[in-house]
Amino acid sequence: MIDLHTHSLFSDGLLLPSELVYRAKVNGYEAIALTDHGDLSTIDFVIPRIIKISKELTEHFSIKVLPGIELTYVPPSRISAMVKKCRSLGAKIVVIHGQSPVEPVPPGTNRAAISSGADILAHPGHITEEEVKLAKKTGICLEITTRNGHNKTNSHVAGLSKKFGAKMVLNTDTHAPEDILTPEKIEETLKTSNLTKQDYEIMIKNSKEVVKKTK
Ligand SMILES: [Zn+2]
Ligand SMILES: [Zn+2]
């Protein structure tokens, strides 16, 4: 299993990176990205620390740990510049907190994220056809999420992504131990998203490609 969207104590997650990563390893993960929420006020504090612990845990827990960030409620006109800033600080995975159906994320966030150079647009809610077509062009991955609330629009995101050939990845957006991925969770999410086992194989391949690109 691969999960490219999780939260630790460095934002609003319940666990230290070390516990989060070890629990993921016990559940059978091969790779995990630590992507705490960040904006201009926190990225220079959080990213270097996440890089340090990712290196330590990759070496000593035998699981691939990728240092990342989830840019959250960044003004859409600033998203591209912030992605570059996060990369220059060493973030390997950049996720954008998309226009979830259950939060007032600034309008224009999905659109700005798609052409920002980020790796993943998380929980993109009622993303439009035009935006999905653009995602196919830029190669950003659109997220199918196991997280309650955000997952309300999974079947919408999945339907348009398949129709227009945009890439999808399956992530948990883990904040607490019970959120960590299990085979049952995957099965349930595929079912409610109108996705097949075959679609899941493709999503795994997409996640692996994102991981590979970080080398
Ligand atoms: Zn988010
Ligand atoms: Zn998140």
Side-chain angles (χ1 to χ4, degrees):
M1 290 183 278
I2 297 178
D3 191 354
L4 299 175
H5 182 175
T6 68
H7 297 275
S8 77
L9 283 179
F10 280 97
S11 58
D12 57 351
L14 296 182
L15 303 174
L16 266 175
S18 305
E19 184 173 352
L20 171 59
V21 167
Y22 196 74
R23 282 178 177 267
K25 181 192 159 73
V26 167
N27 274 35
Y29 280 38
E30 57 184 279
I32 184 171
L34 302 174
T35 58
D36 277 298
H37 296 290
D39 68 8
L40 187 59
S41 67
T42 63
I43 53 170
D44 59 343
F45 176 79
V46 171
I47 292 173
R49 284 165 178 78
I50 292 293
I51 290 171
K52 194 165 29 165
I53 192 68
S54 294
K55 211 170 153 222
E56 165 106 341
L57 297 176
T58 296
E59 275 169 28
H60 297 282
F61 281 165
S62 334
I63 168 175
K64 177 100 185 149
V65 186
L66 299 159
I69 195 79
E70 181 182 13
L71 288 173
T72 304
Y73 286 76
V74 167
S77 59
R78 294 283 300 140
I79 288 177
S80 272
M82 287 287 286
V83 171
K84 286 194 187 84
K85 209 169 164 58
C86 292
R87 299 259 189 231
S88 73
L89 286 165
K92 298 284 189 196
I93 302 288
V94 179
V95 177
I96 309 290
H97 185 88
Q99 290 172 248
S100 165
V102 292
E103 287 180 22
V105 177
T109 294
N110 283 350
R111 175 67 185 75
I114 288 165
S115 44
S116 67
D119 300 293
I120 295 166
L121 174 55
H123 43 72
H126 299 284
I127 188 168
T128 66
E129 284 197 9
E130 287 317 304
E131 287 163 349
V132 174
K133 284 185 199 165
L134 189 60
K136 149 91 179 157
K137 233 184 244 174
T138 66
I140 194 171
C141 294
L142 303 179
E143 184 184 75
I144 300 300
T145 178
T146 61
R147 189 158 181 78
N148 269 340
H150 291 335
N151 65 3
K152 282 184 183 172
T153 42
N154 274 349
S155 62
H156 169 77
V157 176
L160 286 185
S161 298
K162 282 180 78 171
K163 186 170 172 189
F164 296 112
K167 282 191 269 187
M168 288 180 279
V169 289
L170 180 80
N171 291 327
T172 63
D173 206 347
T174 285
H175 287 70
E178 62 270 20
D179 301 333
I180 296 170
L181 210 53
T182 59
E184 295 73 35
K185 231 173 240 180
I186 294 169
E187 201 168 323
E188 194 193 318
T189 302
L190 291 177
K191 213 160 103 187
T192 56
S193 311
N194 292 319
L195 287 168
T196 63
K197 280 253 159 66
Q198 240 173 338
D199 295 321
Y200 180 62
E201 295 304 319
I202 296 169
M203 287 194 282
I204 284 280
K205 207 180 109 234
N206 292 338
S207 297
K208 282 186 175 162
E209 265 168 33
V210 174
V211 172
K212 216 168 137 190
K213 245 179 36 190
T214 65
K215 276 174 191 156

